[in-house]
């Protein structure tokens, strides 16, 4: 992974987040490094339980008991977020880093109107609101209307007074994005923004995120398990497996020349029109339990290229061009 | 809720109340014991005199006639004469009702202002010492019988420490001209602060005794539903917005968590009425509950009938209001 530059917005180093359970300590995120540059879109791919969401919940400081961040540095614009107290962290959340959640059906409060839920975001972060009470209310309202219009909700003035249950799933996802974008964050963490949506709505929502990114110049972390989405919308991609980053690099490089057998497997398991008639290749086996993992490649049991040299902890290896992968074969491939 | 829907719900109450009045009438008429015999007591009367008394009270007529007479009059607000007081039942009840309403209101307020904050606190500080204390406390609260807990309070505060009066509603020195018949309010309206504190010192023990089980139940409900709500995605999302802890807890969590609390509180308010009978008896509180207990002992049918019907109507109405409140709190529910 490259060294941080002035362009670096978020840099996570050696993040380790664990959950205490009855069966033992589950290490959901184990030594994860992330870099997000200003203005770029980073795709984070991996199957359920790979640690994608936990990694970015850790960044937001939203890991709840019995979970806790055990180690690592989370640098945002040169500040270590882990060193901030609750009040300082609250100022970062929403204003600097905003997040949308996976399930739009449950992420909006059923007892508050959409307008109230947008307004409180603006009130909490108070970016350039007028001081007079009425002027302030009018400004908040005008901004809320603008945000709802931005995410393509028709007749936003009347919609502001409605409750979440009066909107469809796709609309709620867009409302959540409107809320997240309301205070013009520098980084948007979009956690599976399209998973719960119809295909047609998926495209709209992603377009919306990409457009606003360009307009506001913000960075986006797009958490997904859809490599198609990544290929279309992300500058760089990071593949996670069993709590570790197994491969990362520029999207085109990773998709065209995947280095890690897991990434290859993911790409191989995608249905493609061009490969009509061929069988989709699933990855055999299951993700290991994240308790007391042996010191070996975590993909070992499922890997087709495994060998005795894989039975040790594997470091990320440079595959050139800023692409790195956690596989012993990487250097060899370069040599041949 | 639309007006039509409201009226419809209101009309649905009629069959319920009709059924209640049948049950009330049947239970009381079929209970063993003869009011005439009790009124006679040890006096020596001729059979003719006894028959005259029976006729006088309308007890010589067949049971169904008596029921329809009761129902017809009840609709007009006439519940007959109290055998014992020799006055219209409705007047006797009106006299006693304010004391019961006042006691129930104070008990309700005590329950709400202790149960909700305690429940929220126990949920936030889950598994802490405070949470465990509240859990044990609420278990005691529901299981301690009111008559026993009330007597304990009397022994400690009235007999031993002598800081609170044993019984009654207000001292003789503090008697005032009634306005609302609620003494805590009247004393203040009359500007008698001393009388207000006198009334307060009288009501505090019975109100705590009456409100204790309700406090315990509401605390448990609030705690459980708060814990449930705190796990929801919208709480995480509210935190991700960078809202203050107060906003997340009170605006986002509590508003949703109170929905079950409100329903339970409304139903439990109905059960305060039942608790009143015991608590009013223990504390010599001159309310409806004690009147009913006394009336049962002397087989004062008309009064017991009217009172039980009153309880039933109150209970049904409370549930009705709980439903309406529910729709206000929970925008997803349309009645």
């Amino acid at each position: 992974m490259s060294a941080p530059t002035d362009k670096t917005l978020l840099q996570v180093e050696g993040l380790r987040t664990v959950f205490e359970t009855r069966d033992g300590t589950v290490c959901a995120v184990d030594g994860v490094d992330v870099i997000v540059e200003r203005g770029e879109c980073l795709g984070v791919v991996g199957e359920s339980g790979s640690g994608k969401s936990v990694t970015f919940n850790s960044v937001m400081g939203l890991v709840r008991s019995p979970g806790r961040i055990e180690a690592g540095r989370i640098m945002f614009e040169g500040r270590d977020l882990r060193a901030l107290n609750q009040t300082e962290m609250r100022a970062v959340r929403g204003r600097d880093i905003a997040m949308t959640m996976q399930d739009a059906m449950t992420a909006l409060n059923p007892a508050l109107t959409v307008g109230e839920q947008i307004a409180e975001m603006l009130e909490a972060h108070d970016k350039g609101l007028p001081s007079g009470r009425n002027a302030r209310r009018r400004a908040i309202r005008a901004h809320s209307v603008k945000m709802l219009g931005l995410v393509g909700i028709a007749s936003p003035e009347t919609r502001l007074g409605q409750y979440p249950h009066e909107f469809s799933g796709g609309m709620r996802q867009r409302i959540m994005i409107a809320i997240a974008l309301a205070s013009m964050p520098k980084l948007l963490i979009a956690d599976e923004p399209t998973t719960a949506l119809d295909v047609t709505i998926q495209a709209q929502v992603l377009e919306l995120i990409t457009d606003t990114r360009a307009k506001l110049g913000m960075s986006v972390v797009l958490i997904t398990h859809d490599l198609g989405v990544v290929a279309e919308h992300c500058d760089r991609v990071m593949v996670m497996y069993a709590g570790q980053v197994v491969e990362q690099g520029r999207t085109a490089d990773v998709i065209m020349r995947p280095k890690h057998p897991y990434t290859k497997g993911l790409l191989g398991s995608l249905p493609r029109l061009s490969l009509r008639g061929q069988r989709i290749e699933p990855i055999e086996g299951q993700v290991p339990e994240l308790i007391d993992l042996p010191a070996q490649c975590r993909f070992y049991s499922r890997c087709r290229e495994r060998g005795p040299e894989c039975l040790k902890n594997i470091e990320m290896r440079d595959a050139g061009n800023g692409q790195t992968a956690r596989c012993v074969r990487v250097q060899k491939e370069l040599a041949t | 809720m639309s007006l039509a829907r409201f009226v419809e719900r209101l009309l649905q109450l009629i069959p319920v109340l009709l059924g209640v009045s049948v049950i009330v009438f049947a239970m009381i008429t079929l209970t063993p014991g003869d009011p005439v015999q009790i009124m006679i007591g040890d006096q020596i009367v001729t059979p003719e005199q006894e028959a005259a008394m029976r006729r006088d009270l309308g007890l010589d007529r067949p049971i169904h006639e008596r029921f329809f007479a009761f129902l017809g009059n009840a609709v007009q607000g006439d519940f007959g004469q109290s055998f014992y007081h020799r006055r219209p039942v409705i007047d006797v009840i009106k006299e006693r009702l304010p004391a019961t309403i006042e006691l129930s209101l104070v008990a309700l307020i005590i329950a709400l202002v202790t149960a909700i904050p305690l429940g929220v606190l126990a949920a936030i500080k889950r598994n802490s010492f405070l949470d465990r204390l509240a859990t044990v406390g609420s278990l005691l609260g529901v299981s301690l019988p009111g008559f026993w807990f009330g007597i304990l309070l009397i022994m400690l505060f009235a007999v031993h420490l002598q800081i609170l009066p044993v019984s009654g509603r207000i001292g003789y020195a503090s008697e005032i001209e009634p306005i609302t018949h609620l003494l805590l309010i009247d004393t203040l309206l009359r500007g008698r602060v001393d009388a207000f504190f006198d009334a307060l010192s009288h009501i505090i023990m019975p109100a705590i005794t009456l409100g204790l089980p309700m406090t315990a139940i509401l605390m448990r409900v609030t705690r459980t539903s708060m814990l449930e709500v705190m796990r929801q995605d919208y709480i995480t999302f509210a935190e991700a917005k960078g809202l203050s802890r107060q906003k997340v807890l009170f605006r986002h969590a509590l508003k949703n968590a109170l929905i079950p609390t409100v329903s339970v509180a409304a139903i439990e308010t109905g059960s305060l009425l039942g608790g009143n009978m015991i608590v009013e008896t223990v504390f010599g509180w001159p309310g409806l509950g004690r009147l009913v207990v006394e009336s049962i002992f002397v087989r004062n049918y008309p009064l017991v009938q009217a009172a039980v019907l009153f309880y039933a109507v109150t209970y049904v109405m409370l549930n009705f209001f709980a439903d309406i409140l529910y729709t206000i709190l929970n925008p997803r529910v349309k009645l």
Side-chain angles (χ1 to χ4, degrees):
Chain A
M1 192 161 283
S2 52
T5 61
D6 286 350
K7 283 193 68 196
T8 304
L9 184 66
L10 173 73
Q11 187 189 18
V12 176
E13 278 179 329
L15 179 69
R16 193 175 147 86
T17 304
V18 298
F19 290 83
E20 303 293 344
T21 68
R22 249 174 242 168
D23 302 326
T25 305
V26 174
C27 195
V29 172
D30 192 2
V32 165
D33 299 328
V34 188
I35 281 188
V36 181
E37 306 284 349
R38 285 180 201 276
E40 82 166 345
C41 178
L42 172 70
V44 181
V45 196
E47 52 203 294
S48 308
S50 60
K52 301 170 299 200
S53 297
V54 177
T55 299
F56 289 95
N57 280 344
S58 304
V59 169
M60 293 287 284
L62 290 177
V63 177
R64 286 200 201 155
S65 177
R68 69 195 153 81
I69 300 175
E70 209 175 57
R73 281 207 316 164
I74 303 169
M75 303 299 289
F76 183 83
E77 292 193 307
R79 279 201 297 175
D80 187 353
L81 297 187
R82 282 191 69 199
L84 299 185
N85 64 31
Q86 280 294 322
T87 317
E88 292 165 332
M89 194 58 215
R90 268 196 284 274
V92 172
R93 282 201 286 261
R95 179 162 60 190
D96 292 332
I97 311 177
M99 186 166 90
T100 67
M101 317 238 325
Q102 271 187 45
D103 189 354
M105 301 306 273
T106 57
L108 295 175
N109 191 326
L112 297 174
T113 65
V114 165
E116 288 170 318
Q117 298 189 56
I118 302 180
E120 65 182 5
M121 180 77 158
L122 295 167
E123 277 161 10
H125 300 299
D126 200 358
K127 276 190 177 170
L129 290 173
S131 51
R133 230 191 115 172
N134 280 324
R136 195 183 164 85
R137 204 181 309 151
R138 267 197 305 277
I140 286 175
R141 194 178 161 80
H143 192 67
S144 305
V145 168
K146 200 182 97 192
M147 290 314 297
L148 277 194
L150 184 72
V151 297
I153 305 277
S155 52
E157 286 89 352
T158 44
R159 289 300 215 161
L160 276 182
Q162 292 184 331
Y163 289 94
H165 72 272
E166 298 171 77
F167 293 83
S168 70
M171 285 170 122
R172 285 192 223 182
Q173 185 71 48
R174 281 182 282 161
I175 289 166
M176 194 156 61
I177 293 171
I179 293 173
L181 296 179
S183 55
M184 313 281 168
K186 292 168 187 155
L187 173 62
L188 173 70
I189 298 170
D191 192 350
E192 310 252 1
T194 56
T195 309
L197 303 180
D198 292 340
V199 183
T200 47
I201 311 288
Q202 281 185 14
Q204 285 179 26
V205 167
L206 289 167
E207 280 312 312
L208 170 71
I209 293 176
T210 305
D211 285 355
T212 25
R213 173 164 74 100
K215 259 183 236 162
L216 303 178
M218 68 176 180
S219 310
V220 173
V221 170
L222 194 61
I223 303 175
T224 178
H225 47 242
D226 187 342
L227 277 168
V229 167
V230 169
E232 199 168 338
H233 296 276
C234 300
D235 305 309
R236 283 193 310 118
V237 61
M238 177 174 120
V239 182
M240 288 190 69
Y241 183 79
Q244 290 180 328
V245 179
V246 292
E247 179 156 10
Q248 67 81 35
R250 289 210 312 254
T251 306
D253 295 337
V254 172
I255 286 182
M256 301 312 289
R257 290 178 294 280
K259 300 296 180 202
H260 196 281
Y262 177 65
T263 318
K264 293 176 196 169
L266 276 183
L267 287 161
S269 61
L270 278 182
R272 270 184 238 191
L273 285 176
S274 59
L275 300 178
R276 203 173 204 155
Q278 286 189 23
R279 288 186 68 86
I280 292 170
E281 295 272 350
I283 305 174
E284 302 287 338
Q286 282 174 346
V287 185
E289 290 273 343
L290 299 177
I291 300 175
D292 300 329
L293 284 168
Q296 64 176 46
C297 173
R298 295 193 176 175
F299 193 55
Y300 182 78
S301 62
R302 302 171 78 182
C303 185
R304 294 172 173 201
E305 304 171 31
R306 69 182 170 217
E309 65 275 30
C310 303
L311 291 172
K312 59 173 188 195
N313 273 328
I314 317 279
E315 295 300 313
M316 289 294 269
R317 295 186 178 210
D318 192 355
N321 229 348
Q323 188 177 359
T324 53
R326 199 178 290 275
C327 181
V328 287
R329 313 257 175 244
V330 168
Q331 299 295 346
K332 284 184 193 168
E333 280 188 20
L334 267 188
T336 51
Chain B
M1 186 167 43
S2 68
L3 187 67
R5 213 60 201 100
F6 181 83
V7 172
E8 199 182 323
R9 277 302 307 261
L10 213 55
L11 291 178
Q12 283 169 2
L13 298 179
I14 293 175
V16 176
L17 294 177
L18 203 63
V20 166
S21 53
V22 172
I23 294 168
V24 166
F25 182 82
M27 278 197 324
I28 286 165
T29 320
L30 301 178
T31 310
D34 179 359
V36 175
Q37 285 299 332
I38 289 169
M39 286 167 89
I40 293 167
D42 293 338
Q43 302 165 61
I44 297 162
V45 291
T46 63
E48 289 76 30
Q49 279 175 312
E50 199 188 318
M53 277 176 87
R54 218 169 274 284
R55 199 165 45 247
D56 198 23
L57 299 173
L59 291 175
D60 56 335
R61 287 151 69 201
I63 191 163
H64 60 274
E65 264 181 47
R66 267 156 55 204
F67 173 68
F68 284 113
F70 159 72
L71 201 63
N73 291 333
V75 172
Q76 299 166 46
D78 176 8
F79 293 90
Q81 296 279 314
S82 164
F83 295 169
Y84 184 80
H85 302 85
R86 294 272 158 195
R87 282 198 295 145
V89 163
I90 194 80
D91 291 352
V92 181
I93 288 182
K94 269 187 194 155
E95 220 173 80
R96 296 290 203 108
L97 198 53
T100 293
I101 291 177
E102 184 167 39
L103 181 58
S104 303
L105 280 179
V106 175
L108 179 66
I109 291 168
I110 290 177
L112 288 176
V113 301
T114 50
I116 293 172
L118 271 180
V120 171
L121 219 57
I124 296 171
K125 309 222 176 274
R126 191 183 184 180
N127 295 332
S128 65
F129 175 70
L130 184 109
D131 183 21
R132 274 153 224 236
L133 195 72
T135 308
V136 174
S138 75
L139 192 65
L140 282 177
V142 263
S143 18
L144 288 183
F147 58 86
W148 186 71
F149 182 69
I151 290 168
L152 277 190
L153 284 184
I154 291 176
M155 279 167 61
L156 180 62
F157 292 104
V159 178
H160 196 73
L161 297 175
Q162 304 208 342
I163 48 175
L164 290 173
V166 179
S167 71
R169 234 183 134 188
I170 197 160
Y172 288 114
S174 309
E175 295 272 358
I176 46 141
E177 194 67 22
I179 304 169
T180 61
H181 292 273
L182 302 180
L183 291 183
L184 289 178
I185 295 173
D186 287 354
T187 49
L188 287 182
L189 287 179
R190 297 264 178 224
R192 291 277 307 275
V193 178
D194 59 317
F196 171 78
F197 283 109
D198 188 24
L200 195 64
S201 72
H202 279 85
I203 205 170
I204 193 81
M205 281 198 296
I208 288 175
T209 311
L210 184 60
L212 186 70
M214 186 175 180
T215 310
I217 291 166
L218 288 185
M219 200 222 91
R220 298 299 297 166
V221 172
T222 307
R223 176 185 181 272
T224 310
S225 95
M226 192 74 183
L227 282 176
E228 174 65 32
V229 167
M230 291 301 285
R231 273 206 303 272
Q232 299 296 315
D233 278 356
Y234 56 78
I235 297 301
T236 311
F237 189 54
E239 281 177 338
K241 285 171 166 180
L243 302 182
S244 66
R245 182 129 180 94
Q246 285 88 333
K247 276 243 163 102
V248 172
L249 281 180
F250 294 109
R251 194 178 151 104
H252 283 267
L254 193 59
K255 194 173 175 200
N256 286 288
L258 281 186
I259 294 171
T261 308
V262 166
S263 334
V264 175
I267 294 165
E268 282 296 311
T269 306
S271 71
L272 282 184
L273 298 172
N276 263 319
M277 297 191 198
I278 293 162
V279 173
E280 287 181 6
T281 305
V282 170
F283 288 96
W285 189 261
L288 188 60
R290 209 173 108 207
L291 178 68
V292 172
V293 174
E294 291 163 0
S295 302
I296 291 170
F297 283 127
V298 297
R299 302 287 185 276
N300 191 353
Y301 287 171
L303 200 141
V304 176
Q305 254 168 16
V308 174
L309 196 62
F310 168 79
Y311 285 154
V313 172
T314 312
Y315 201 86
V316 171
M317 292 308 285
L318 282 171
N319 276 292
F320 175 67
F321 286 123
D323 284 352
I324 292 173
L325 208 56
Y326 200 84
T327 58
I328 295 171
L329 277 175
N330 188 348
R332 281 165 297 182
V333 175
K334 297 261 187 295
L335 276 189

